[in-house]
């Protein structure tokens, strides 16, 4: 005879009850059943008494809500870093978003409508890139790290690539020139010193094993003081004489002269193309497009690069191609670029305009936060981000939030307040510096949306719930 024990209700009998029927309606039968099983086995494992059917249903609802809420969510990036890698870098213009939506179904990704034959996915952006950079040919891959990998693997596998010791860059986390070289199967030949590299250093290093010389943009640092780098025209001449390609990893790479909007100058791709045989740069840094890595330059070398089997592993999807096609088209009309391309619009924003936004929002935010907090308008410095123009900041204005009464515990108060803003339906992300939670308003365009969020934070203040 089997032993008789009091057991929690079976999954099947629970699922038959109305409160679980409602859950199944909302989240589906299988998800609800699996979740209920997981909840029950968790309770059993923890020897916890099973709550009643109502309690179980509530537990399941909370868990299923968390499961079905999107994980990737839009946020207000008020961190002061315009191209914030963790927050998705460049915001796309509506033209790109519309083009992504329009081509998300069946589209001419690799299809030639004239011949009904196979096309190439590069065709949608190659002509635009060539026109905008002066390059003979172009191809595009998943990101700039992939672009560098592919170029080195194609042109320098089992041979040497010469790089100045002043340019052995590490970009955020895992992109390091020596490691990428190794992964690409190229041997790194370092020349010069950290602070000074001369033309003779390159010329003397070139030998039968040399595949190419490479210049890497020092995107996130600057070497100052007693320094020397080989000017691009000179390095190009050395490479030409030795009959090896000159590759330039520009990193951010801008397609237009940024100084016309009062921004710090950054070498343009066109300038780099005038000297280098191959130039690589990101699509989602200063260019303001989607994540990708552009490779432009000599037609014979691009052809070789395109034939590398790795391109199949690194190729772009149609959504990115759609975004890039739309963004590059905006560059055909440079007079309106600063108005239409969000990245440039935000970078070029005048400090006085940002300060005006801050003064408009300050009373509203102060009212929403109530008596526990103080809100002031303060000047601040925005960063461009993503390793673009690392040492230059842009004067801006922020809302600085501090506890109404200073004292011990202020640090924790700031952390809690920042967390409360991050928990809003449309999370607001700022940063804590100099004793205040700061929202840099350079990147705020949707003032009404921001204010609606601020209103939602008020109840937490009233309850002292931070
Ligand atoms: C940012 C950067 C990269 C990497 O580009 P991703 O598009 O982030 O892969 C490579 N080289 C340089 C010099 C960079 O600045």
């Amino acid at each position: 005879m089997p032993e008789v024990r009091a057991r929690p209700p079976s999954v099947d009998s629970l699922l038959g009850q109305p409160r679980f029927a409602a859950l199944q309606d909302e989240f589906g039968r299988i998800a609800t059943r699996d979740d209920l099983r997981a909840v029950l086995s968790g309770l059993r494992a923890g020897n916890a008494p099973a709550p009643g059917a109502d309690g179980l249903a509530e537990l399941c609802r909370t868990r299923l809500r968390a499961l079905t809420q999107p994980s990737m969510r839009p946020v207000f990036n008020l961190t002061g870093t315009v191209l914030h890698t963790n927050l998705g870098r460049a915001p796309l213009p509506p033209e790109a978003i519309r083009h992504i939506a329009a081509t998300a179904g069946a589209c001419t990704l690799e299809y030639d409508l004239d011949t009904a034959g196979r096309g190439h996915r590069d065709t949608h952006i190659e002509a635009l890139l060539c026109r905008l950079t002066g390059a003979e040919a172009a191809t595009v891959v998943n990101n700039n790290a992939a672009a560098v990998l592919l170029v080195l693997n194609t042109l320098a596998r089992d041979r040497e690539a010469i790089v100045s010791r002043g340019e052995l860059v590490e970009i955020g986390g895992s992109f390091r020139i020596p490691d990428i070289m190794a992964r690409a199967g190229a041997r790194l030949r370092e020349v010069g010193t950290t602070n000074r590299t001369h033309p003779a250093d390159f010329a003397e290093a070139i030998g039968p094993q040399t595949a190419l010389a490479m210049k890497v943009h020092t995107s996130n640092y600057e070497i100052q003081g007693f320094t020397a780098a080989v000017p691009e025209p000179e390095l190009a001449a050395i490479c030409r004489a030795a009959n090896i390609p000159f590759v330039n990893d520009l990193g951010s790479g801008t397609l237009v002269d940024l100084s016309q909007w009062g921004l710090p100058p950054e070498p343009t791709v066109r300038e780099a193309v005038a000297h280098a045989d191959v130039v690589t740069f990101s699509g989602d840094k200063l260019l303001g497009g989607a994540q990708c890595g552009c490779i432009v330059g000599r037609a014979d070398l691009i052809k070789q690069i395109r034939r590398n089997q790795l391109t199949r592993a690194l190729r772009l999807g149609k959504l990115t191609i759609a975004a890039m096609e739309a963004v590059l088209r905006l560059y055909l009309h440079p007079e309106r670029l600063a108005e239409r391309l969000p990245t440039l619009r935000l970078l070029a924003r005048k400090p006085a305009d940002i300060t005006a936004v801050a003064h408009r929002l300050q009373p509203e935010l102060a009212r929403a936060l109530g008596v526990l907090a103080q809100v002031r308008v303060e000047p601040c410095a925005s960063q461009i981000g993503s390793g673009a123009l690392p040492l230059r900041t842009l004067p801006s204005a922020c809302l600085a939030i501090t506890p109404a009464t200073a004292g011990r515990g202020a640090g924790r108060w700031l952390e809690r307040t920042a967390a409360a803003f991050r928990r809003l339906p449309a999370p607001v992300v700022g940063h804590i510096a100099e004793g205040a939670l700061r929202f840099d308003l350079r990147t705020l365009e949707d003032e009404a949306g921001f204010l609606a969020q601020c209103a939602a934070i008020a109840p937490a203040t009233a309850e002292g719930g931070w």
Side-chain angles (χ1 to χ4, degrees):
M1 279 286 279
E3 199 184 343
V4 180
R5 285 197 311 189
R7 303 176 66 198
S10 77
V11 170
D12 285 335
S13 72
L14 282 168
L15 288 176
Q17 299 185 15
R19 39 177 94 72
F20 281 95
L23 283 184
Q24 293 179 76
D25 232 27
E26 189 174 349
F27 301 105
R29 205 180 71 80
I30 293 172
T32 307
R33 182 199 64 198
D34 290 354
D35 205 69
L36 179 57
R37 277 198 186 133
V39 165
L40 287 173
S41 83
L43 290 169
R44 235 175 280 128
N47 264 335
D54 279 338
L56 280 174
E58 259 335 286
L59 260 176
C60 287
R61 182 182 300 282
T62 309
R63 288 166 47 106
L64 286 164
R65 282 245 167 87
L67 181 74
T68 49
Q69 191 193 46
S71 164
M72 196 152 80
R73 292 164 62 194
V75 299
F76 286 93
N77 167 20
L78 306 185
T79 58
T81 301
V82 178
L83 297 167
H84 197 301
T85 297
N86 303 145
L87 300 180
R89 287 196 186 160
L92 289 176
E95 288 83 351
I97 295 163
R98 280 201 298 270
H99 199 39
I100 292 171
T103 53
C107 67
T108 56
L109 178 63
E110 287 187 354
Y111 187 78
D112 185 329
L113 287 172
D114 291 331
T115 65
R118 173 131 193 224
H120 195 289
R121 58 183 69 206
D122 276 349
T123 52
H124 308 292
I125 35 186
E126 180 174 21
L128 284 165
L129 274 174
C130 290
R131 193 186 168 110
L132 295 167
T133 65
E136 287 174 11
T139 186
V140 189
V141 291
N142 186 53
N143 55 19
N144 190 36
V148 175
L149 176 78
L150 182 62
V151 168
L152 289 171
N153 181 263
T154 308
L155 303 178
R157 193 155 71 100
D158 296 329
R159 296 199 295 147
E160 285 180 5
I162 308 180
V163 185
S164 161
R165 288 197 170 89
E167 297 175 356
L168 296 175
V169 176
E170 172 178 311
I171 310 279
S174 48
F175 181 88
R176 305 171 108 192
I177 289 294
D179 297 343
I180 289 277
M181 288 264 177
R183 289 286 165 173
R187 287 199 299 278
L188 170 62
R189 176 79 189 266
E190 306 173 20
V191 296
T193 61
T194 304
N195 57 329
R196 290 174 72 83
T197 302
H198 306 286
D201 294 325
F202 278 96
E204 283 161 19
I206 294 175
Q209 281 303 305
T210 310
L212 56 85
M214 185 170 174
K215 182 172 174 58
V216 186
H217 188 263
T218 56
S219 297
N220 47 11
Y221 65 100
E222 233 167 67
I223 297 179
Q224 292 180 333
F226 186 52
T227 64
V230 182
E232 285 172 42
E234 250 178 281
L235 189 49
I238 292 169
C239 291
R240 213 175 306 118
N243 200 23
I244 55 167
F246 167 26
V247 174
N248 189 347
D249 176 21
L250 263 189
S252 200
T254 169
L255 296 179
V256 285
D257 177 9
L258 294 175
S259 61
Q260 59 187 304
W261 293 285
L263 292 164
E266 172 86 346
T268 64
V269 178
R270 185 176 284 279
E271 285 159 7
V273 163
H275 305 297
D277 299 295
V278 174
V279 177
T280 57
F281 55 98
S282 293
D284 57 351
K285 291 185 182 172
L286 282 175
L287 195 152
Q291 179 194 302
C292 66
C294 305
I295 308 172
V296 303
R298 251 169 57 191
D300 59 325
L301 298 175
I302 298 295
K303 200 164 151 193
Q304 243 179 292
I305 289 164
R306 214 176 257 146
R307 277 205 299 261
N308 188 328
Q309 290 290 312
L310 269 181
T311 53
R312 180 65 173 74
L314 304 176
R315 72 182 186 185
L316 289 188
K318 64 179 177 180
L319 306 184
T320 306
I321 293 175
M324 287 304 288
E325 185 187 1
V327 167
L328 291 173
R329 277 192 206 293
L330 296 183
Y331 278 90
L332 296 177
H333 194 157
E335 307 92 297
R336 293 194 57 193
L337 193 62
E339 155 202 340
R340 290 157 130 192
L341 189 69
T343 298
L344 185 56
R345 187 169 67 229
L346 297 175
L347 290 173
R349 231 169 157 188
K350 300 264 180 305
D353 293 346
I354 306 170
T355 307
V357 174
H359 283 293
R360 271 202 298 279
L361 297 181
Q362 186 272 340
E364 307 269 358
L365 184 60
R367 190 172 322 127
L369 288 174
V371 292
L372 295 182
Q374 251 186 13
V375 182
R376 284 186 312 275
V377 174
E378 288 189 7
C380 67
S382 312
Q383 294 196 326
I384 294 167
S386 280
L389 313 148
L391 300 184
R392 322 295 164 81
T393 56
L394 308 172
S396 183
C398 70
L399 293 172
I401 304 171
T402 49
T405 49
R408 288 189 305 144
R412 282 228 309 284
W413 187 92
L414 290 175
E415 295 288 350
R416 281 204 309 276
T417 308
F421 276 98
R422 291 198 305 271
R423 278 196 302 270
L424 288 169
V428 176
V429 186
H431 81 291
I432 295 173
E434 296 165 59
L437 169 59
R438 292 171 191 278
F439 294 142
D440 184 338
L441 300 178
R442 170 177 296 279
T443 41
L444 180 67
E445 296 199 300
D446 178 12
E447 287 177 42
F450 173 74
L451 283 178
Q453 295 302 303
C454 293
I457 203 152
T461 325
E463 292 158 20
W466 301 351

